Amino acid sequence: MTQTEIRGNMLHPKGTLYLAATPIGNLEDMTFRAVRILQEAPLIAAEDTRHTRKLLARYDIHTRLTSYHEHNKLEKGPRLVDFLVEGHDLVCVSDAGLPGIADPGGHLAELAIAAGVQVSPLPGANAALSALICSGIDARRFTFIGFLPRTAAKSRELLAEIAVRQETLIFYEAPHHLKNTLKALIAAFGASRSAVAARELTKRYEEFRRGTLSDILAHYSEEEPRGEFVLIVAGAEESAVKENALTETPKELVTYFMEEGRTKKEALRETAKRLNMSRRDVYQILLEE
Ligand code: SAM
């Protein structure tokens, strides 16, 4: 039975779960439809009610708010689904962008679908795609990675797996982890991979820093990273995939120079020069490996 048939046949049709995009920095990035549905819905499930209240105030929305986040989703999710099954609409929002993309929302959608509730998007801002379309890097095929796992071993494992992928890769990162993430990317993909760091999208200090991974690391080693970041990284070159060898990682270069008979110190210096990185960064990458 389709949702329309269910709706037509039942005395109490189920409500709709709307997953609504909210701005990623600029409060003007709301759609007319999202504002109207947020105004008309009886309840909004928000990742952080205090944060969402500011957005609602800007658009004169007085809908009741309830919290729905990573730490209460198991207990709260089923209750919200009961509310939908009773026939009420519900809008789910996260702090920024699309719910369900590195944010709560996906689990609620799964529960709602399992209960036969219609799930509908209210599209809008998203950091990953906004960065991708302005990056100048191939947007025809891409993989969204989001945040790297926080443990070094898991992160290395994931990066090793995706190092030979030819499509563009998209990462999310917080400013205090940015340099370490760039070092991990260099260790796995090589320093000369093209990349773009997209910072503070839609905000006053929006910036796109383009170059190789080592250029971007060099810049943020000089200037402390501030704000929110999306990293867009070009896919592996076909030739690198064919040879199945990425010969420009710091570890490979240091090994190569040492096998040529140079001392460790000379090998580090040569590697740093070749990759346009500081000796300290090369050394730290080797230590972390
Ligand atoms: N749901 C959001 C979306 O659809 O983009 C993502 C939320 S995730 C918890 C937060 C991360 O998204 C940040 O750490 C950053 O990597 C990225 N991000 C969010 N807003 C951004 C912005 N204005 N500029 C750059 N990156 C942003």
Side-chain angles (χ1 to χ4, degrees), residues 149-163:
R150 281 293 164 238
T151 65
K154 288 218 166 101
S155 165
R156 262 203 306 274
E157 200 180 304
L158 171 66
L159 291 174
E161 180 198 318
I162 60 177

Side-chain angles (χ1 to χ4, degrees), residues 249-261 267 271 286:
T249 71
K251 189 177 172 186
E252 283 162 340
L253 280 175
V254 170
T255 310
Y256 168 78
F257 288 127
M258 285 177 73
E259 279 170 2
E260 274 199 327
T271 302
L286 295 184

Side-chain angles (χ1 to χ4, degrees), residues 24 96-98 101-103 126-127 147 172-173 200-201 228-230:
I24 56 170
L98 292 173
I101 302 297
D103 263 346
N126 165 254
F147 293 102
Y172 278 168
E173 201 43 281
E200 295 287 83
L201 294 167
E228 303 189 90
F229 285 86
V230 179

Side-chain angles (χ1 to χ4, degrees), residues 39 174 203 220 228 235 237 279:
Q39 273 164 347
K203 302 188 202 177
Y220 286 112
E228 303 189 90
E237 297 281 339
R279 247 187 304 168

